[in-house]
Amino acid sequence: MVWSVKIKFLVLTDQTILNMSLPEIKAYKLLFALVLIITSFNGYAQKLPVKQEGSLRAPASVKIDGKTSEWNFKAYNIATDVFYTIAHDAENIYLVIKAADESSMRKIISNGITFKVSSSAKKNDTTAATITFPLFNYKNKPAITFTIKSKPVDSIDYFIAANNKQLTANGKFLRTRGFTNVDTLLSVYNTAGITIASAFDKDGNYNYELAISRKLISPFVNANNGIFYTVIVNGIKLDDMPGVTVTRSDNGTITAIDVRKSDFRPGLSEGISVPTDFSGEYVFTK
């Protein structure tokens, strides 16, 4: 996660505050709140390992609804720019992710997160199983506001609600590969043993929750009573690149590409179009 903030510090006396207009006071309050949030995230991320260490029992109150208040994130992965936790209970294995950076959120909404499980540490294991979510294309692309944190404080709730409405209305499917007797395209309301949800929280961060039945992943459990996993934040699609407008025919063929440099989003990661990932082994404990 990369935050860049330039602040002109002023010594505010009682007289200075009295001379400030109401909009100026509100602006300073918002700036102060933003600095606290950024400082808190930076400090939190720096204290966490880049990869989760050890196993974790899931909270008893876990609910897959895109809200992560019951979770404590155990790692902050620099390569993918996300916080994450993997946990389990007697029924499921869980993957929980929080993205707070605009580049990461754009990549996830554009092309999804892929969670891969395998009994082997080989990165190109052809027997691995994968789940990709969220799943949008140019026909059901949600209209997401990624700059919530820069909006006036009294309008943030509106943008968060609008974003979540778009996710619910358009994000109804997930894609799988490699699971026995499981369709490759599933509804989020499936009965295959995969529960998944995502939502923006009150601070404008994107949250992702996934639960997979342990029965479903039992073929991938290795001799250590664990699985090897890879989390991939897929690169942004051309259609979703800021400053690029793609025109397609009814069958999806690209007919025109319009690039407007004036519409580029400054500060986005240079690697926004490139998939990033991390891997590890997760061992189930009793």
Side-chain angles (χ1 to χ4, degrees), residues 7 14 46 62 92 97 132 158 211 219-220 250 258 277:
I7 302 169
D14 291 343
Q46 289 172 0
V62 63
N92 300 301
I97 286 174
T132 299
Y158 166 80
F220 306 100
D250 291 340
D258 182 27
D277 65 80

Side-chain angles (χ1 to χ4, degrees), residues 43-51 73-76 83-84:
Y44 184 35
Q46 289 172 0
K47 293 178 181 179
L48 293 174
V50 296
K51 187 180 295 185
F73 288 96
K74 297 301 181 182
Y76 166 68
F83 296 87
Y84 83 96

Side-chain angles (χ1 to χ4, degrees), residues 20 22-35 153:
M20 291 173 65
L22 184 58
E24 287 174 327
I25 293 174
K26 287 183 177 180
Y28 274 98
K29 287 174 66 178
L30 178 60
L31 176 61
F32 182 68
L34 180 60
V35 170
V153 66

